[in-house]
Amino acid sequence: MLRVRGSYAFGILFRDIPEKLYAVRKDSPLIVGKGKTGTLIASDVPAILSETRTVCYLDNMEIAELSADEIHFFNIDQEELEKKETLITWDAQAAEKGGYAHFMLKEIHEQPKAVQDTLTVYLHDNQIDFSESGLSDALLKKLERIYFVACGSAYHVGAAGKYILEELTGIPVEVDLASEFRYRNPKLLKDSLVVIISQSGETADSLAALRLAKERGLPVLGIVNVIGSSIARESDYVLYTYAGPEISVATTKAYSAQLAVVYLLGIRCALVRGAINENRCSALVSSVKQLPQQIAKALEDPERIQWFASKYINAKDVFFIGRGLDYAIGLEGSLKMKEISYIHSEAYAAGELKHGTISLIENGTLVIGLLSQPQLYEKTMSNLMETKSRGAYLMGVTEEGNYSIEDTVDFAVYVPKTEPLFAASVEVIPLQLLGYYLSVSRGLDVDKPRNLAKSVTVE
Ligand code: G6P
C-alpha cells in the first residue's frame, strides 16, 4: 500500500491463504459488510443492500481481512482496529425498479417523497432545526461569505443556491466547480462557510475541495445523501438529504432533495441574521412544505412530454435559456438531456445569447425558454422572440396562469406556481422527463449512459 500510487480499492486473494479476502483502499470508496451468507466488499451501499444494512467504511491505510463469517480490521502496522459500524436505514426494495422501466423513471417519481422525507427531518413545528448537525445560529449569524462547491448536478444546486441565498440572506455567495476550486488557490474570507454538495459523498474533486477548505481553517458543511460517506465523515457539519439510494447515473431525486436543504439553509440563515422577519419566515416555510405536492402535480402528465420528445429524437442542438434562477435550472435541464440522450445542448443566460449563441439558431432549432421568475418574464420572453424570428422552434416552461405564453411559444408546459425562489423544484421536472423520454425514444441505456459513472471517485 505504501508503494502503490494513485487511488484504488482492491479486494485481494492470496493463493496460499485461500480462506481469506483482503481489502484495501486509497481515496476510492470501499465498504465492508457481513451478510446473510457471508462477508462482502463493495464500493457503494446499494450493491450489498439485499445482503446487509450494517457496513463499515474502510479508511485509507487500513486493511480489512474477511473470512466467511468474520471481519477483522488492521492498520498499516498490522495492529487490530475497532471499527464503528454504520446502520443503513434504506430498505432493499428501494434499490429495485419496482415495476418501472428504468431506475431513472422510478427516481423521478420518487421526488415528492425524497423532498418530503428530507423536510420532515429538519422541520419541527414549522421551525427549521439543524441542531443535530451541530450547525449553530451563532455560526450562521457571523458569515461574511458562503462558498458552494460541487460537481455535476450538485454544482447546479449550488448555482441555484447562489440566487436563493443572496436574495434571502444578503450574504454574498460564490459557486465553484470542485475541480476548479481545488486548483485555483482560492482566496477565502475568514468568516465564511464552505458548503460541499454531493449525493454520493465520494466525488474525488469535491472531497479534495473539502480538504482544501479545512486546511485553510474554514468550517465545512456537507450536504450529502450517503450516510457515513467520506464527505459526510470529513465535514464539520452534515445536513443529510433523505433521497434514499439513487441508482440511475443521471441524478434526479438527490438533486431535488439537495435543493430542499438549500432552501432551509437559506431561510434559517436569513431569519437568524434578521434579513427576514418571523412572518416572512413562516410564509417561506409553508411554501417549502407545499413543494412535495407541487412536484407530484408537475409529474401528473408525463405523456405530453413523451409525445414532444418523440418529435425531437433527431435534434442536433438544443438550447435552454433563462435568466436568474431559470438560468441555473437550465444548466440542470441541459445536463440531463446531454448525459442520457447524447443530444448536444447548452444552457445560456438569456441575456448572453446575442454575444454568440444566437448565430447557431437555424430553422427548426429547439430553444427551451424557462420563465419562472416574474420580474424577468418579459426579458426572457423577448429573447425567445429573437430566436423565433431566426427560425427557432420554442418550448416554454412557466407557471400555471401565464397562459399568454401560448402567443409566442409553440409548445407550452405549465408547472404549479411556487414561491419564485423555490421554482427550480417544479420547473426541473419536465426537463428531467424530456431527457428521459428522449433517451428512451432513441433506444439508449438510460440508467447507464456511455462513458459516465455514478460516483466519480477519480479526478
Ligand atoms: C456524476 C453523476 C452526476 C453527479 C456528479 C456529482 O457525474 O453522474 O449525476 O451530479 O457525479 O456527484 P455527487 O455524488 O458528488 O453528487
Side-chain angles (χ1 to χ4, degrees), residues 91-124:
D91 63 37
Q93 272 182 352
E96 286 162 15
K97 281 191 205 152
Y100 285 92
H102 299 98
F103 279 110
M104 184 178 179
L105 189 61
K106 174 174 176 253
E107 288 160 8
I108 286 176
H109 284 279
E110 282 173 348
Q111 290 180 107
K113 182 174 183 319
V115 172
Q116 183 62 62
D117 289 352
T118 303
L119 294 177
T120 304
V121 170
Y122 300 113
L123 281 177
H124 301 147

Short mmCIF file of all heavy atoms in Angstrom, two decimals, residues 91-124:
data_model
loop_
_atom_site.label_atom_id
_atom_site.label_comp_id
_atom_site.label_asym_id
_atom_site.label_seq_id
_atom_site.Cartn_x
_atom_site.Cartn_y
_atom_site.Cartn_z
N ASP A 91 -34.18 0.66 2.65
CA ASP A 91 -34.54 -0.75 2.54
C ASP A 91 -34.13 -1.29 1.17
O ASP A 91 -33.88 -0.55 0.22
CB ASP A 91 -36.03 -1.00 2.85
CG ASP A 91 -36.94 -0.30 1.88
OD1 ASP A 91 -36.59 -0.25 0.69
OD2 ASP A 91 -38.00 0.19 2.29
N ALA A 92 -34.06 -2.62 1.11
CA ALA A 92 -33.54 -3.25 -0.11
C ALA A 92 -34.40 -2.95 -1.32
O ALA A 92 -33.91 -2.79 -2.43
CB ALA A 92 -33.41 -4.75 0.11
N GLN A 93 -35.71 -2.86 -1.10
CA GLN A 93 -36.61 -2.59 -2.23
C GLN A 93 -36.32 -1.26 -2.90
O GLN A 93 -36.55 -1.10 -4.10
CB GLN A 93 -38.05 -2.55 -1.73
CG GLN A 93 -38.68 -3.91 -1.73
CD GLN A 93 -40.11 -3.82 -1.28
OE1 GLN A 93 -40.57 -2.75 -0.84
NE2 GLN A 93 -40.82 -4.91 -1.39
N ALA A 94 -35.81 -0.33 -2.10
CA ALA A 94 -35.50 0.99 -2.65
C ALA A 94 -34.46 0.88 -3.75
O ALA A 94 -34.34 1.76 -4.59
CB ALA A 94 -35.03 1.93 -1.55
N ALA A 95 -33.70 -0.19 -3.75
CA ALA A 95 -32.67 -0.35 -4.79
C ALA A 95 -33.16 -1.27 -5.91
O ALA A 95 -32.37 -1.83 -6.66
CB ALA A 95 -31.38 -0.88 -4.17
N GLU A 96 -34.47 -1.46 -6.02
CA GLU A 96 -35.03 -2.25 -7.13
C GLU A 96 -35.97 -1.38 -7.96
O GLU A 96 -36.49 -0.39 -7.46
CB GLU A 96 -35.80 -3.45 -6.56
CG GLU A 96 -34.86 -4.52 -6.04
CD GLU A 96 -35.54 -5.49 -5.11
OE1 GLU A 96 -36.79 -5.53 -5.10
OE2 GLU A 96 -34.82 -6.20 -4.40
N LYS A 97 -36.25 -1.82 -9.18
CA LYS A 97 -37.02 -0.94 -10.09
C LYS A 97 -38.50 -0.82 -9.74
O LYS A 97 -39.16 0.11 -10.19
CB LYS A 97 -36.87 -1.44 -11.52
CG LYS A 97 -35.55 -1.03 -12.14
CD LYS A 97 -35.58 -1.30 -13.63
CE LYS A 97 -34.16 -1.50 -14.13
NZ LYS A 97 -34.10 -2.36 -15.29
N GLY A 98 -39.03 -1.78 -9.00
CA GLY A 98 -40.42 -1.68 -8.52
C GLY A 98 -41.43 -1.43 -9.65
O GLY A 98 -42.32 -0.60 -9.49
N GLY A 99 -41.29 -2.12 -10.76
CA GLY A 99 -42.29 -2.02 -11.82
C GLY A 99 -42.01 -0.92 -12.83
O GLY A 99 -42.65 -0.87 -13.88
N TYR A 100 -41.08 -0.06 -12.57
CA TYR A 100 -40.74 0.99 -13.55
C TYR A 100 -39.79 0.43 -14.60
O TYR A 100 -39.01 -0.48 -14.31
CB TYR A 100 -40.08 2.19 -12.86
CG TYR A 100 -41.05 3.05 -12.09
CD1 TYR A 100 -41.29 2.82 -10.75
CD2 TYR A 100 -41.72 4.08 -12.73
CE1 TYR A 100 -42.19 3.61 -10.05
CE2 TYR A 100 -42.61 4.88 -12.03
CZ TYR A 100 -42.85 4.64 -10.69
OH TYR A 100 -43.73 5.42 -10.01
N ALA A 101 -39.83 1.02 -15.79
CA ALA A 101 -38.96 0.55 -16.87
C ALA A 101 -37.49 0.82 -16.56
O ALA A 101 -36.61 0.06 -16.97
CB ALA A 101 -39.36 1.22 -18.18
N HIS A 102 -37.23 1.91 -15.87
CA HIS A 102 -35.84 2.27 -15.57
C HIS A 102 -35.76 2.86 -14.16
O HIS A 102 -36.74 3.43 -13.69
CB HIS A 102 -35.32 3.34 -16.55
CG HIS A 102 -35.32 2.88 -17.97
ND1 HIS A 102 -36.33 3.19 -18.84
CD2 HIS A 102 -34.43 2.10 -18.66
CE1 HIS A 102 -36.07 2.63 -20.02
NE2 HIS A 102 -34.93 1.97 -19.94
N PHE A 103 -34.58 2.76 -13.57
CA PHE A 103 -34.39 3.40 -12.27
C PHE A 103 -34.63 4.90 -12.37
O PHE A 103 -35.19 5.52 -11.47
CB PHE A 103 -32.97 3.15 -11.75
CG PHE A 103 -32.82 1.80 -11.11
CD1 PHE A 103 -32.06 0.81 -11.72
CD2 PHE A 103 -33.43 1.52 -9.90
CE1 PHE A 103 -31.93 -0.45 -11.13
CE2 PHE A 103 -33.31 0.28 -9.30
CZ PHE A 103 -32.55 -0.71 -9.92
N MET A 104 -34.21 5.49 -13.48
CA MET A 104 -34.35 6.95 -13.58
C MET A 104 -35.82 7.35 -13.48
O MET A 104 -36.16 8.31 -12.77
CB MET A 104 -33.75 7.48 -14.87
CG MET A 104 -33.81 9.00 -14.91
SD MET A 104 -33.06 9.67 -16.38
CE MET A 104 -33.34 11.42 -16.11
N LEU A 105 -36.70 6.61 -14.17
CA LEU A 105 -38.11 6.97 -14.13
C LEU A 105 -38.66 6.78 -12.72
O LEU A 105 -39.42 7.60 -12.20
CB LEU A 105 -38.90 6.12 -15.14
CG LEU A 105 -40.35 6.54 -15.34
CD1 LEU A 105 -40.44 7.97 -15.88
CD2 LEU A 105 -41.08 5.60 -16.29
N LYS A 106 -38.25 5.70 -12.10
CA LYS A 106 -38.69 5.46 -10.72
C LYS A 106 -38.22 6.61 -9.81
O LYS A 106 -38.99 7.14 -9.01
CB LYS A 106 -38.11 4.13 -10.24
CG LYS A 106 -38.39 3.84 -8.78
CD LYS A 106 -37.92 2.44 -8.42
CE LYS A 106 -38.11 2.16 -6.94
NZ LYS A 106 -36.84 2.17 -6.20
N GLU A 107 -36.98 6.99 -9.99
CA GLU A 107 -36.42 8.02 -9.11
C GLU A 107 -37.06 9.39 -9.39
O GLU A 107 -37.26 10.19 -8.48
CB GLU A 107 -34.90 8.03 -9.25
CG GLU A 107 -34.31 6.78 -8.58
CD GLU A 107 -32.89 6.39 -9.02
OE1 GLU A 107 -32.26 7.18 -9.76
OE2 GLU A 107 -32.44 5.30 -8.62
N ILE A 108 -37.40 9.63 -10.65
CA ILE A 108 -38.12 10.88 -10.97
C ILE A 108 -39.43 10.91 -10.18
O ILE A 108 -39.79 11.92 -9.58
CB ILE A 108 -38.38 10.98 -12.50
CG1 ILE A 108 -37.08 11.31 -13.24
CG2 ILE A 108 -39.45 12.03 -12.81
CD1 ILE A 108 -37.20 11.32 -14.77
N HIS A 109 -40.12 9.77 -10.17
CA HIS A 109 -41.41 9.72 -9.48
C HIS A 109 -41.27 9.66 -7.96
O HIS A 109 -42.24 9.88 -7.25
CB HIS A 109 -42.24 8.55 -10.01
CG HIS A 109 -42.82 8.85 -11.36
ND1 HIS A 109 -43.96 9.60 -11.52
CD2 HIS A 109 -42.37 8.58 -12.61
CE1 HIS A 109 -44.20 9.74 -12.82
NE2 HIS A 109 -43.25 9.14 -13.50
N GLU A 110 -40.08 9.37 -7.49
CA GLU A 110 -39.88 9.35 -6.03
C GLU A 110 -39.56 10.74 -5.48
O GLU A 110 -39.35 10.89 -4.28
CB GLU A 110 -38.72 8.41 -5.69
CG GLU A 110 -39.11 6.94 -5.72
CD GLU A 110 -37.91 6.01 -5.53
OE1 GLU A 110 -36.76 6.47 -5.60
OE2 GLU A 110 -38.14 4.81 -5.34
N GLN A 111 -39.53 11.73 -6.35
CA GLN A 111 -39.09 13.04 -5.87
C GLN A 111 -39.99 13.68 -4.81
O GLN A 111 -39.48 14.25 -3.85
CB GLN A 111 -38.85 13.98 -7.05
CG GLN A 111 -37.61 13.52 -7.80
CD GLN A 111 -37.26 14.38 -8.98
OE1 GLN A 111 -36.32 15.13 -8.95
NE2 GLN A 111 -38.04 14.26 -10.03
N PRO A 112 -41.32 13.57 -4.93
CA PRO A 112 -42.12 14.14 -3.85
C PRO A 112 -41.74 13.54 -2.49
O PRO A 112 -41.60 14.24 -1.49
CB PRO A 112 -43.56 13.77 -4.23
CG PRO A 112 -43.51 13.60 -5.72
CD PRO A 112 -42.16 13.02 -6.01
N LYS A 113 -41.50 12.24 -2.49
CA LYS A 113 -41.16 11.57 -1.23
C LYS A 113 -39.75 11.98 -0.75
O LYS A 113 -39.53 12.22 0.44
CB LYS A 113 -41.25 10.05 -1.42
CG LYS A 113 -40.95 9.28 -0.16
CD LYS A 113 -41.19 7.79 -0.35
CE LYS A 113 -40.99 6.96 0.90
NZ LYS A 113 -39.89 7.25 1.76
N ALA A 114 -38.81 12.05 -1.69
CA ALA A 114 -37.44 12.42 -1.32
C ALA A 114 -37.42 13.80 -0.66
O ALA A 114 -36.75 14.04 0.35
CB ALA A 114 -36.54 12.41 -2.56
N VAL A 115 -38.20 14.72 -1.24
CA VAL A 115 -38.23 16.09 -0.69
C VAL A 115 -38.98 16.06 0.65
O VAL A 115 -38.53 16.65 1.64
CB VAL A 115 -38.89 17.06 -1.70
CG1 VAL A 115 -39.11 18.42 -1.08
CG2 VAL A 115 -38.01 17.17 -2.95
N GLN A 116 -40.10 15.35 0.69
CA GLN A 116 -40.87 15.27 1.93
C GLN A 116 -40.02 14.67 3.06
O GLN A 116 -39.96 15.21 4.17
CB GLN A 116 -42.14 14.43 1.72
CG GLN A 116 -43.04 14.37 2.93
CD GLN A 116 -43.56 15.74 3.33
OE1 GLN A 116 -44.26 16.39 2.56
NE2 GLN A 116 -43.16 16.22 4.50
N ASP A 117 -39.36 13.56 2.78
CA ASP A 117 -38.57 12.90 3.82
C ASP A 117 -37.46 13.82 4.32
O ASP A 117 -37.12 13.82 5.50
CB ASP A 117 -37.96 11.59 3.29
CG ASP A 117 -39.02 10.52 3.09
OD1 ASP A 117 -40.19 10.73 3.49
OD2 ASP A 117 -38.68 9.46 2.51
N THR A 118 -36.89 14.58 3.41
CA THR A 118 -35.81 15.49 3.81
C THR A 118 -36.37 16.64 4.66
O THR A 118 -35.80 16.98 5.70
CB THR A 118 -35.11 16.03 2.53
OG1 THR A 118 -34.65 14.90 1.78
CG2 THR A 118 -33.94 16.93 2.86
N LEU A 119 -37.49 17.18 4.25
CA LEU A 119 -38.09 18.29 5.01
C LEU A 119 -38.51 17.82 6.41
O LEU A 119 -38.32 18.54 7.40
CB LEU A 119 -39.31 18.85 4.28
CG LEU A 119 -39.04 19.54 2.94
CD1 LEU A 119 -40.35 19.99 2.30
CD2 LEU A 119 -38.11 20.74 3.11
N THR A 120 -39.07 16.62 6.48
CA THR A 120 -39.55 16.11 7.76
C THR A 120 -38.44 16.09 8.81
O THR A 120 -38.67 16.37 9.98
CB THR A 120 -40.12 14.68 7.57
OG1 THR A 120 -41.13 14.77 6.56
CG2 THR A 120 -40.72 14.12 8.83
N VAL A 121 -37.24 15.77 8.37
CA VAL A 121 -36.14 15.67 9.33
C VAL A 121 -35.76 17.05 9.90
O VAL A 121 -35.40 17.17 11.07
CB VAL A 121 -34.92 15.01 8.64
CG1 VAL A 121 -33.67 15.09 9.49
CG2 VAL A 121 -35.25 13.56 8.31
N TYR A 122 -35.90 18.08 9.11
CA TYR A 122 -35.41 19.40 9.55
C TYR A 122 -36.50 20.36 9.97
O TYR A 122 -36.19 21.46 10.45
CB TYR A 122 -34.54 20.03 8.45
CG TYR A 122 -33.35 19.18 8.12
CD1 TYR A 122 -33.22 18.55 6.89
CD2 TYR A 122 -32.36 18.96 9.08
CE1 TYR A 122 -32.14 17.72 6.61
CE2 TYR A 122 -31.28 18.13 8.80
CZ TYR A 122 -31.18 17.52 7.57
OH TYR A 122 -30.12 16.71 7.32
N LEU A 123 -37.75 20.00 9.76
CA LEU A 123 -38.84 20.92 10.14
C LEU A 123 -39.59 20.33 11.33
O LEU A 123 -40.19 19.27 11.23
CB LEU A 123 -39.82 21.10 8.97
CG LEU A 123 -39.41 22.05 7.87
CD1 LEU A 123 -40.46 22.06 6.76
CD2 LEU A 123 -39.20 23.47 8.38
N HIS A 124 -39.51 21.04 12.44
CA HIS A 124 -40.25 20.60 13.63
C HIS A 124 -41.16 21.74 14.05
O HIS A 124 -40.68 22.83 14.34
CB HIS A 124 -39.28 20.24 14.77
CG HIS A 124 -38.32 19.16 14.38
ND1 HIS A 124 -37.04 19.07 14.84
CD2 HIS A 124 -38.48 18.11 13.53
CE1 HIS A 124 -36.44 18.03 14.31
NE2 HIS A 124 -37.29 17.44 13.50
#
